[in-house]
Amino acid sequence: MTLRRALILTVVVTAAVVAAAMFGMTVPLGWALLMALPAAALTFAGCLLAGTFDADWTAAPDPPSASVTLHATFLTERLERSALDQYRFTSRVQPRLRRVAQSVLGPDLNTPAAKERLGADLHRLLTAPDAQLPPPKTFAALMRHLEEL
């Protein structure tokens, strides 16, 4: 609740308490105002805190699912198999990596500019028909370089 609405509601409650005290109990104005003071303070504090305890109905974010973990596990397993099977690497992994590089550098990766941006090792990994999957640390470094492009 805004400060303006809180003040308006506080004034209305104070006036109601003063009117009830003066006309319902025949209390003098000074005493009626003194009786209305605690009610006004509680009303004002309640109005200011009213929005604090409201329920938040927005959807909670989805917790990480097992599928993300499984996907990473499957990817690791597939890369391990590709390291052992040359055909699997050249038919499945290499074309996908090449498409990622082509989306950044253009369709032709054999241009001098593309070779320079990729670097010799990454260019060979993406374009050579006899390229093999490098060791994990080297592969991770090459993928970081590809992400930076």
Side-chain angles (χ1 to χ4, degrees), residues 51-131:
T52 306
F53 303 108
D54 285 347
D56 184 14
W57 295 106
T58 58
D62 293 332
S65 65
S67 65
V68 174
T69 306
L70 291 176
H71 181 70
T73 305
F74 287 146
L75 180 60
T76 304
E77 183 181 321
R78 288 178 181 170
L79 286 174
E80 285 176 5
R81 278 191 251 142
S82 296
L84 301 174
D85 184 6
Q86 176 63 27
Y87 175 74
R88 185 178 199 83
F89 175 73
T90 56
S91 65
R92 295 186 180 179
V93 176
Q94 191 180 36
R96 291 175 181 167
L97 293 175
R98 191 178 306 124
R99 278 194 298 266
V100 171
Q102 287 172 338
S103 69
V104 175
L105 301 173
D108 188 14
L109 296 178
N110 290 320
T111 63
K115 287 180 184 179
E116 182 180 332
R117 283 188 68 190
L118 288 172
D121 294 336
L122 185 56
H123 183 265
R124 174 161 171 61
L125 180 71
L126 297 176
T127 59
D130 62 339

Side-chain angles (χ1 to χ4, degrees), residues 122-144:
L122 185 56
H123 183 265
R124 174 161 171 61
L125 180 71
L126 297 176
T127 59
D130 62 339
Q132 292 185 347
L133 193 64
K137 288 185 180 181
T138 307
F139 183 69
L142 291 173
M143 292 303 100
R144 276 192 298 275

Side-chain angles (χ1 to χ4, degrees), residues 1 6 9-11 13-14 36-49:
M1 184 173 288
L9 189 57
T10 301
V11 169
V13 168
T14 304
L37 189 61
L42 285 175
T43 302
F44 186 67
C47 288
L48 290 181
L49 295 174

